Amino acid sequence: MSKETVLKKPEAMIFDMDGTLFQTETLLLPAYQKLFDTLRAEGHFEGETPPEERMLGSLGMLLEDIWKVVMPEASEAAHRRADELLLQLEIEGLDQGSSQLYPHVKETLEALKEQGVRLFVASNGLEDYVKGVAFAHEIMPLFEGVYSAGQYKTPSKVNLVQLLLEKHRIQDAWMVGDRSSDVEAGKMNGQTVIGCAYAGFGRDEELAGSDVLISDFTELTRLYREAD
């Protein structure tokens, strides 16, 4: 945080899910391997499973765009089957209870809510996945709204955040996320952006334009306390 940066206390905070609240790889990577085993068995895909880094580097994109990066040579039918399989495998993984939030996410959200901050999620993921993560990790009751591109069919996170702000009549919010899509969504809607630099999925330049960078989720309570 630069000394020149003076934050204003927000009425709301809007959180990305993957790489911000949720350690996505704890759920995604086991599902990813099973997904390609199934695609090969069904005749939708041939060859070696694409590198995991390709998938992790695509997080934050819309799902239809992720498959264009992960397996660009595969058919549209393969991409749509991958949509179905990934959701199914991730929901199964959530039920098994082995996935994790980032450290102290739940306690930090609870502390912010107790101070009167309105909490929301805005994710480019599928509705059942995003809400499934929130329910499985017992943070769903903390949010006033959980918005996903899968539910609202928005073409970008800019549109999703705009919809959220308008629906809940929010003037001042902090957009908290780890990808360039989060920075863009915050800035294009005239809001403050808190960049999360701890996930490591994206390149450092993805968070260029953030008002503040944090290396630990718990820093949010201090930033809120010190804001004007």
Side-chain angles (χ1 to χ4, degrees):
M1 180 174 176
S2 68
K3 292 180 180 177
E4 294 76 30
T5 304
V6 178
L7 298 178
K8 179 182 177 182
K9 270 191 171 58
E11 56 185 298
M13 293 190 194
I14 305 168
F15 298 92
D16 174 46
M17 180 62 81
D18 292 322
T20 300
L21 303 177
F22 183 53
Q23 293 192 57
T24 314
E25 69 276 17
T26 63
L27 178 67
L28 175 61
L29 296 185
Y32 184 75
Q33 297 301 327
K34 293 177 185 176
L35 182 149
F36 277 95
D37 289 343
T38 303
L39 288 178
R40 279 189 288 265
E42 294 179 352
H44 286 296
F45 190 83
E46 295 180 356
E48 297 294 318
T49 299
E52 293 175 346
E53 291 74 18
R54 197 181 293 180
M55 184 72 179
L56 292 173
S58 303
L59 293 176
M61 297 180 182
L62 295 170
L63 200 53
E64 62 188 66
D65 296 325
I66 288 178
W67 300 128
K68 293 173 185 176
V69 172
V70 173
M71 46 175 175
E73 70 287 353
S75 67
E76 183 69 17
H79 289 178
R80 299 292 70 79
R81 179 60 176 147
D83 287 346
E84 297 170 358
L85 285 170
L86 185 61
L87 179 60
Q88 173 190 327
L89 291 166
E90 289 185 324
I91 296 300
E92 289 174 3
L94 287 172
D95 290 341
Q96 292 166 6
S98 57
S99 62
Q100 298 176 13
L101 299 175
Y102 284 99
H104 309 297
V105 160
K106 187 177 181 183
E107 301 93 316
T108 302
L109 292 174
E110 288 172 341
L112 291 168
K113 189 175 179 69
E114 286 174 6
Q115 294 178 73
V117 183
R118 301 167 67 188
L119 306 179
F120 297 85
V121 169
S123 168
N124 273 338
L126 297 174
E127 179 184 6
D128 288 348
Y129 166 75
V130 176
K131 291 182 177 177
V133 170
F135 277 118
H137 291 280
E138 300 178 344
I139 56 174
M140 190 68 172
L142 298 173
F143 297 110
E144 188 173 330
V146 173
Y147 285 66
S148 63
Q151 179 178 3
Y152 291 96
K153 312 301 181 190
T154 44
S156 75
K157 188 168 280 191
V158 173
N159 305 99
L160 188 65
V161 170
Q162 180 183 12
L163 178 70
L164 188 163
L165 292 169
E166 290 175 354
K167 187 171 181 179
H168 296 273
R169 299 180 180 179
I170 296 167
Q171 298 297 319
D172 297 304
W174 290 1
M175 179 69 220
V176 184
D178 70 307
R179 304 308 296 260
S180 58
S181 56
D182 300 308
V183 179
E184 181 185 34
K187 288 301 174 183
M188 292 292 287
N189 283 292
Q191 305 302 323
T192 297
V193 175
I194 310 296
C196 300
Y198 47 78
F201 296 147
R203 301 176 301 278
D204 290 345
E205 58 266 29
E206 284 214 43
L207 290 174
S210 300
D211 294 284
V212 176
L213 293 179
I214 60 174
S215 56
D216 187 287
F217 192 77
T218 59
E219 291 179 50
L220 282 173
T221 51
R222 176 183 58 80
L223 289 177
Y224 181 77
R225 185 175 64 249
E226 295 176 355
D228 289 345

